[in-house]
Each structure stands twice: as C-alpha cells, then as structure tokens.
Amino acid sequence: MSESNSVEKRILESLKSKFGESILEDGWEGALAPKRIKTFASREKIVEVAQAIKELGFDQVISQGGTDYPKDDIFKVNYHLIAVDNEELKPIILSLATKLPRNDPKMSTLTNVWRSAEFHEQETFENFGIFFEGHPRMERLLLPEDWDDIPPLRKEFTLPGR
Amino acid sequence: MEVVERQGDYLTMSVGPQHPGSGHMRLIVTVDGDIIVKVKPDPGYVHRGAEKMCEVRTYIQNIPHLERPVIIDSCGILFAYVLAAEELIGVQPPPRAQYIRIIMAELNRIISHMYWLSIYGIFMGHSTMFMWPMGDRELFIDLAASIGGTRVTFSYFIPGGVRNDIPPGFKEKALKTFDYFVKRLKEYEKIYFNNPLVLKRTQGVGVFKREDAISLGVTGPNLRASGVASDTRKDEPYSMYDTIDFDIPTYREGDSYSRAWVRLEEMRESMKIIRQAIDKMEAGPVKQPMRGQIKGKVGEAFARTEAARGTMFYHIVSDGGKFPYRVKISVPSFRNLIAMSHLLEGNRLADMPVIYWGLDYWPVEADR
Amino acid sequence: MVSSGSAISVFAGKVNDLLGTIVEQSVKEPIRYIVNWGRLYALWPVHLETACCSVEFGAASGPRFDLERFGMLEAFGSLRQCDLLVVQGTVTRKMAPRLQWVYEQMPEPKWVIAMGACAISGGLYIDSYNVIQGIDKIIPTDVFIPGCPPRPETLIQGIIELQNKIRRSRVRS
Amino acid sequence: MSVSLARGIFDAFFASIKSLTKRRYTLRYPEQKLDLPDGYTYDPKTQVGSPGVKGRHILYLDKCTGCSLCAIACEGIADCIDMVKVDGTWPKDKKAIMPQIDYGRCVFCGFCVDACPFDCLFMTPEYELASTDKRKLVQTPFQLGTLPEKKGLVEFIPDEKSGAHHA
C-alpha cells in the first residue's frame, strides 16, 4: 500500500510544483486517498493543467460530468482520468474538477487534450447547459430533438409527480 | 483510416432505428458508391433519464432501474454502483458475499458475450451461430436464475452484500454446465471461428490501431483486441479479484476477428474464475444487516469495475441525505460510440454490420 | 293488381333476405374461420426494438423456446409484409413518432403486443422526463405481457392469447 | 491455402452434421413446463432472502396487518402497489386494507418482500400473466391470496453426448 501511495504522492507533488497550492483548492474533501487523486483547476487554467496531467501519462477520460450546486451558485465539472497504457498509473483514477458560475456556464473544451472527452462534453452540454468553447460538435446528443425545457440535470428541473 | 476525397455523388441515408441491423439507434451514413465516407451516430432513442431518476430515489430503490440499461449484464452494471455506494454508506460486505458477487458478475459476462456472439452470427448470415450460442446461453441463464430469481434482471447486489445465498447443489450444477460448455466452445471454433468464410469477412475489417484505440477512449474487449492489456480486474483489483488467478486475453491485430476471439477467450477465463471462486468460498453470512434508513455520508465516491463491455464507472455525490445528490454513470458503450464513426469511415457498406456489432455496442446502455 | 304485385314483391324480398341470411350464415362463418386460421399461424413481426426487452424476444426466437412453432417468424426487413408489432420495452419521446410511423406503414389487419412493464405503463420509468407512459396511449394495443423483462414463456403465452383473439375476430368483407 | 480452405469448410460442415444425432433442444412450452424452484422469500430477522424464483406474489391474508410498508418500498421503484379496502373482518388488520398489485407496472424485483416485516408477502414461481385486457393485470388481495398449482415437469440437462435437452 505504501508503495502505491508513493506514486500518487509523487504525481500530486509534481503537479503542485508546477501550479502551486491552487491545485488542491477544493472545498469538498482531501486530495489524496488510496488509488485516488483529486485535483482542482480554475477554468482559466484548466487546459494548461490538463496538458500537464496528460504528459504524466493519463491517456483516457473515463467519465466527465457536472454537478449542480444551486446553494453555492456554481456548477462543478469533473473529469475522471485513467491511464490504460502505463503500468505504474493503471490503478489510479485522477479527478480534475473545476467550478463555473451558474449565470455564465462556459469553459474551454478539453477535446484537444483528450479526444475521448468529446461525447462526454456533449452530454454535459445538453444535461446542464454548460457550453464548451472550441468543441467540434456542440449539439444535442441524447435528448429528443424537440426538447424545449431547461436542461434536465439542473436542480430546478423537477420530475413530474415528485 | 484514411478516406480519399473523391469527386462524385454522395448519398446520405439513415440506418435505423427500424432496421434489422441497427438495433435501437440511428446512424446517418454518407456513402460514395458503397464506400462509407462519413458516419454520424444519432443515439438517444432509449434515453430514459436514469441519472435524474437517481436523485429522487434512495440508495436501495436505485438498484432496479440502474440495472435496466444493460439487462444482459445486469450484475456488471450494478457492481460499480454498489462499490461506490458502500464507500459512502460505510458498510463492508462479508467475504462470502464478495465471492458470490464475483460468481454472478462472471456468469453475467458469459451471458452477455453469448448474446453478442449469437447476434454476430446472424449479422453474417450464419444461422447456426445464432442458434447454438442462444441455446447454450440458456444454461448460464438457468445458473444465474437459480441464484438471482429472475432470468436476467436480478436486483441481486445491494450495499452490504447480496440479497440471498446461493442455492444448495449450485456447485455440481455449475461444474456440469462448464464441462459441457468447454466442449461446445471447441465446436464453436470449428463452425465459426475457423470457418474460412467467416475469416474472409472479418479479418482485416475495421482495424483499430493501438494509438487510436487509446486516444479515442475505447474500452473493454475492443481495447484488448488492439493490444492494450487493460482490465480493471487486474489494474485495480476490486472485491476478491486479487485472490484469483486468471489471464487477460489480448490480441494485436485490432480487427473484427480478434475482437471476437477476445470475447471467446474471456468466456473461458470467466469459467476459470467461477471455479476458483466456488472453491475459495467459505461458509458465513452473505450480508451485513443494516437497521433504519440508509444514508450516505457527505462527500463523493467513485468506483470502477470491469463489466462485459468494458470499464463501468460511477461517480456518486452525497449531501448526507437518504437520496444521492448526483449519480454520474459512465458506461462503456457510450465511450465506444465515438469509435464507431472512426472505424466505419472508409469501409464498405456491406461490412457495416460486422464492424458495428463487432464493437458490442449496446444502445440501451449508451443512452441510459 | 298493384297491391297483389307489391305483396308478391314483398314476399320475394323476404325470401331473398332469408336466403341471403342463410347463405351468409352458412358461408361467412367458414370463410371467417378459414381466413382467421390463415392469419393465425403466419404472424410476421416487425423488427422494431425499442428497448431492452428485445433480449428476451431474441431468447424466445432461439432454440430453447422457438417462436417459429407458433408461426412467428424472426426478423424481417420490410414493414409492408408484417402484421404484428411487438413493442419491446420502453418507448421514449424520441422513439414515439417512429413507432407511430411504423404502425401506420403496416398493412391491415395488424396487431400490437406491448411487451414488458415499460411498454404497458411506463414501468420503472414512471417519473422519467423522456418516457411515454404506456403505448396504448399512442397506438391501439391487443395484448399486454407483464414482466421486466417477461420470461419467454410469458411471451409465448401472450402470443397464444393473441391467436385466440384472432380466432374470435370478425372478418370485414 | 486451398487445402486449409477445404479443411475449414469440411470441419464446419461435419460439426453441424453431428448435431443431427443430438436430442431435441426445444422446450415445448405449453405442454411442457420448466421445473422451477419455489418462490423468493425473505427472513426479516436475519435480513437474508432465500434463493427463489421471483414471479407473481402471494399474500397471506390472515397475517397482513395493512402496515403499507410494501407500498412505501415500491413507491420509488415501480409504484405498483396500492393499499385497498377488503371485505370481511381481519383480526390482525383493523383498517382492513391490503396490497393490490398492478402487474402492468411490477418489475419483479422483490424489494416489497424484503420490506414486509410480518412474513406475509412472498413470491411464487408463477409467470403466466399475459392478458388482452390491461385491467386484468391488476390483481386484488384475494387473487394474490391463492397459491398457484405447481405445473413444473421438466428440467434442462446439459449433456454433451446426447446434446442439451429437457427431460
């Protein structure tokens, strides 16, 4: 356990040396757990941080999704990254989070860094209304063509009869 | 795959959603003659809003509808949810329950691969290969149903263990079935996998290069067919997989043929895993009893497992209430969908069913 | 003269009616039987998969349950030669217009089977924003097969119910 | 190349021909029925169920107290259980309300059985529920109170010599 923990610590340290303490600045929970690394980047710096994470060896986006926090008036966007082609990093899932204000939900896309983020970002766009600048196809994917309600995964959207 | 831009008339047509070869999705295909130039997938015909529904259901009530997206692999999709929910609720399943989970997950993997194999057969017009796996699949369905109660949707894993013990006489029944099935697999190889007609249609069709497969986010058997030995059961052993000895079959070619072989080999490995799990299982409780309303602690948890189609990932955020605050389901089919247009472009229209189903894309799972 | 002539014509008309009913009764019933018998064992289902119940439909067409014993053949390309629509599971808002188009394109007579809880009433997805709560709201439905998904035996039982219904049904002239 | 081609085709052909000698695979359903085990039951003390088939429910009317815990458990799943008034006097059930199940909605997950603390709601292996009338899918407490007759006869036997068959 200690050995695998050292890999995670080393990755976090290398990110810290590049971007400072802001990489840990998440108001929710600790940054390091066994096989889990939680990082944070502001939306201005996220492409830069993502590039650095990719260079470390994380080559696939396993999941990307948003969470709506109407109380704090923000959206939190999580990218979960794995390494399929790097023996040392294989057990680790790295989460890269960012916060967006609810009245201006916009951030630049990470499809240029990881191509596998493409459909995930499209899905987050239709479910939350978060706009990804520079995305090749920012259009509806799963919802019906005639959807005219607010994006369904926002908290103010309530299910009928609930 | 390189597409040579050609002068001439392009024809755009949509394949599906009512089409014998498409399932419940639509592909908008542009062809030049019979060469596919461009493919735009149009999923969402079975989008049922599972992620939103999770927010108004308790951790237990979420179980039945979370396994519906992929009912042929219902334990596979539920496994990661249960692991993430256990982390939030703070319960640990007893060891016997963990072995039973492995047995069920692997049985589901075989059931899912058999369904895939039979449809793969009928897509190539090989009716025998539809009938044989579809029939032998029933043996494994009977095995799983004797534990789970229903034929495909078991609602069997719950946070804290499994809902019931395995029935008496399961071991003998399972071993008898495996002995039968191992011999059947050899016949499958004869009539299908080594059949020259099938070789001609699948070898070198829909080739995925290793780098492309990684960068596009392809997962599961499709990734392993391209030479990347990536399997969550080995990478990040969850449950009791670290006590079990098994191999990950990988192939280098990355074509439709090797994707079929990966799945065939995986069925053999799954039987190996179940045999070991049955032997290692000791008597004991199968569930940690819980009293009162189940609540998750404030925070977030994520877990991944290896389902039949690839890595299943759940991200659950809890605000301390009885309902999860947000459940993000990341399913392998959805991540394989991006590869579809990449693979189809430049191939012939006649090869489309082989490539499409060779990816084992399950629309209901992708749409959620 | 006039009155007797009209009496004769009335009489002739009555005889004609009576004969007509006798002939109709004696011919229509066998014809109805024969036509229905022909329809009964040649149910050609549309290959429209709406959701996950298609797995159990596939299993029912497999060798263990073998729907072809009941004259149900498997997948077909053309809607124009099909007379049975098996709605295999959830119908979403995106799929609903397609389902209606498929139904409209099928020739008369046609029957609809709602397979699975989602097709009957929405099932698990009672409060989902994207699911139609029961297909009998959009197309007329003949047989309901409960289950999630139904066992292939239940599907076969539903098809036997449908065949009984066809056997009873009237034939339009 | 041509030798291996011929050999491959011959192998495939021979493997298929061999299956002509095997026994019939098909379960002739309406005449033969599978021998299913008993229905799913649950022990509220140990919180563990029994491995059993999840089919139509059985309600032991004399044990039901009308607590409507099953309906609450089902509310977030399929919402198929309604508590309805039943005729007669029930010593344990003062309000005389009992569950009525709409099989047009039920998904046979069995969480209502887990929720019942009085051992009165279990499942049976009955699955023949298809109907031409949607209203007939709703089963009243009295309909749920009857045990199905056991009709199971045959078992599925995997046997590579004679082929998998039902007997």
Side-chain angles (χ1 to χ4, degrees), chain A residues 22-23 25 39-50 96-100 107-108:
Chain A
S22 72
I23 200 90
E25 186 202 292
T39 59
F40 177 87
S42 64
R43 69 167 154 173
E44 289 78 23
K45 278 179 99 174
I46 190 159
V47 180
E48 214 180 307
V49 177
L96 171 64
T98 186
K99 284 182 211 164
L100 307 173
M107 65 179 282
S108 65

Side-chain angles (χ1 to χ4, degrees), chain B residues 65-346:
Chain B
H65 84 91
L66 276 179
E67 66 179 10
R68 257 59 185 185
V70 44
I71 59 169
I72 37 181
D73 186 21
S74 55
C75 288
I77 188 168
L78 214 54
F79 210 148
Y81 169 76
V82 171
L83 291 182
E86 273 169 0
E87 198 182 322
L88 283 173
I89 298 166
V91 285
Q92 266 293 320
R96 186 179 171 83
Q98 299 201 10
Y99 280 120
I100 297 178
R101 280 183 185 176
I102 288 178
I103 292 173
M104 277 305 261
E106 296 302 323
L107 277 177
N108 267 273
R109 192 185 310 277
I110 298 175
I111 291 170
S112 174
H113 283 349
M114 291 291 267
Y115 184 81
W116 170 84
L117 186 57
S118 69
I119 304 294
Y120 201 48
I122 198 86
F123 269 19
M124 273 189 245
H126 198 304
S127 291
T128 314
M129 210 53 208
F130 170 72
M131 291 296 177
W132 285 16
M134 202 51 113
D136 289 334
R137 177 175 169 261
E138 298 287 333
L139 292 164
F140 292 97
I141 285 188
D142 271 10
L143 275 185
S146 70
I147 301 179
T150 45
R151 275 173 55 92
V152 279
T153 49
F154 311 106
S155 307
Y156 184 60
F157 296 179
I158 68 170
V162 291
R163 282 175 67 190
N164 51 258
D165 209 336
I166 56 172
F170 175 79
K171 185 178 175 183
E172 293 74 43
K173 211 174 151 195
L175 295 183
K176 204 175 164 191
T177 306
F178 295 162
D179 289 343
Y180 166 80
F181 188 59
V182 165
K183 285 186 181 138
R184 287 288 281 179
L185 276 180
K186 289 212 179 91
E187 290 190 3
Y188 287 7
E189 283 179 21
K190 265 189 201 161
I191 69 156
Y192 193 73
F193 285 85
N194 293 329
N195 189 335
L197 306 175
V198 175
L199 288 176
K200 273 239 161 36
R201 285 205 62 183
T202 52
Q203 261 181 343
V205 170
V207 179
F208 237 141
K209 284 193 213 97
R210 188 187 154 93
E211 303 77 48
D212 287 346
I214 293 168
S215 80
L216 282 169
V218 172
T219 174
N222 301 333
L223 186 60
R224 294 196 279 278
S226 296
V228 185
S230 159
D231 189 316
T232 312
R233 289 173 293 171
K234 284 269 187 209
D235 296 348
E236 189 199 337
Y238 50 94
S239 202
M240 286 288 185
Y241 274 110
D242 46 353
T243 64
I244 285 169
D245 171 45
F246 64 102
D247 302 321
I248 315 172
T250 48
Y251 283 80
R252 290 195 171 279
E253 292 84 1
D255 54 0
S256 291
Y257 187 59
S258 54
R259 285 198 274 276
W261 267 104
V262 167
R263 295 195 170 92
L264 187 78
E265 294 288 334
E266 269 187 18
M267 286 196 263
R268 289 205 175 106
E269 292 300 320
S270 290
M271 284 189 283
K272 217 163 102 187
I273 294 171
I274 298 172
R275 278 176 205 266
Q276 291 178 40
I278 292 176
D279 286 341
K280 287 195 182 193
M281 208 159 53
E282 283 163 14
V286 293
K287 189 178 162 189
Q288 201 185 67
M290 281 182 285
R291 301 274 168 217
Q293 182 66 261
I294 295 171
K295 281 180 181 167
K297 64 171 190 281
V298 184
E300 59 179 357
F302 34 90
R304 60 171 165 165
T305 58
E306 190 73 19
R309 286 172 179 71
T311 311
M312 188 70 67
F313 178 89
Y314 273 84
H315 176 213
I316 305 180
V317 183
S318 163
D319 61 348
K322 59 177 182 173
F323 302 141
Y325 189 75
R326 164 97 169 98
V327 178
K328 165 74 194 169
I329 317 160
S330 182
V331 284
S333 284
F334 186 73
R335 276 175 278 141
N336 285 337
L337 179 60
I338 189 174
M340 184 110 53
S341 49
H342 179 85
L343 270 190
L344 285 171
E345 279 162 20

Side-chain angles (χ1 to χ4, degrees), chain A:
Chain A
M1 185 53 87
S2 64
E3 198 192 326
S4 67
N5 229 345
S6 71
V7 178
E8 291 134 37
K9 203 167 260 172
R10 204 193 67 221
I11 288 164
L12 199 63
E13 289 302 322
S14 81
L15 284 173
K16 233 195 251 179
S17 66
K18 260 186 204 156
F19 301 102
E21 288 290 314
S22 72
I23 200 90
L24 302 172
E25 186 202 292
D26 68 68
W28 282 275
E29 62 276 330
L32 209 60
K35 295 173 189 169
R36 304 277 186 272
I37 306 171
K38 288 169 188 164
T39 59
F40 177 87
S42 64
R43 69 167 154 173
E44 289 78 23
K45 278 179 99 174
I46 190 159
V47 180
E48 214 180 307
V49 177
Q51 204 73 49
I53 290 171
K54 196 190 179 184
E55 275 158 25
L56 286 172
F58 289 93
D59 45 18
Q60 274 197 1
V61 176
I62 190 172
S63 152
Q64 190 263 14
T67 314
D68 186 8
Y69 294 95
K71 269 184 211 151
D72 305 332
D73 210 26
I74 52 158
F75 289 122
K76 191 179 167 196
V77 179
N78 281 78
Y79 286 80
H80 295 280
L81 307 158
I82 54 165
V84 294
D85 203 18
N86 187 324
E87 281 302 324
E88 199 182 33
L89 299 181
K90 262 181 181 176
I92 298 170
I93 303 176
L94 191 144
S95 145
L96 171 64
T98 186
K99 284 182 211 164
L100 307 173
R102 267 180 127 247
N103 52 13
D104 179 29
K106 248 191 229 169
M107 65 179 282
S108 65
T109 175
L110 296 189
T111 45
N112 301 327
V113 185
W114 294 286
R115 243 195 101 185
S116 39
E118 187 179 325
F119 278 21
H120 292 294
E121 283 182 356
Q122 237 172 307
E123 201 201 340
T124 309
F125 164 68
E126 66 177 356
N127 281 341
F128 288 93
I130 296 170
F131 194 82
F132 292 90
E133 285 160 332
H135 188 283
R137 279 205 310 175
M138 202 77 283
E139 57 189 48
R140 192 160 284 160
L141 193 67
L142 295 178
L143 291 179
E145 301 94 329
D146 58 343
W147 183 264
D148 55 356
D149 215 330
I150 49 173
L153 279 176
R154 290 197 183 189
K155 285 284 171 190
E156 60 260 35
F157 181 88
T158 47
L159 290 171
R162 291 267 165 186

Side-chain angles (χ1 to χ4, degrees), chain C residues 60-117:
Chain C
S61 334
R64 189 182 189 185
F65 297 102
D66 196 10
L67 277 180
E68 289 187 23
R69 292 180 295 146
F70 302 91
M72 283 268 291
L73 300 175
E74 239 258 296
F76 278 101
S78 174
L79 301 170
R80 291 293 191 189
Q81 40 182 307
C82 296
D83 52 4
L84 175 64
L85 178 59
V86 184
V87 182
Q88 301 159 8
T90 327
V91 177
T92 57
R93 268 172 58 180
K94 199 167 173 178
M95 189 57 116
R98 274 86 178 178
L99 184 69
Q100 270 171 314
W101 296 339
V102 166
Y103 183 75
E104 282 157 17
Q105 282 180 59
M106 286 162 59
E108 291 280 352
K110 51 194 169 188
W111 297 279
V112 178
I113 289 179
M115 181 180 176

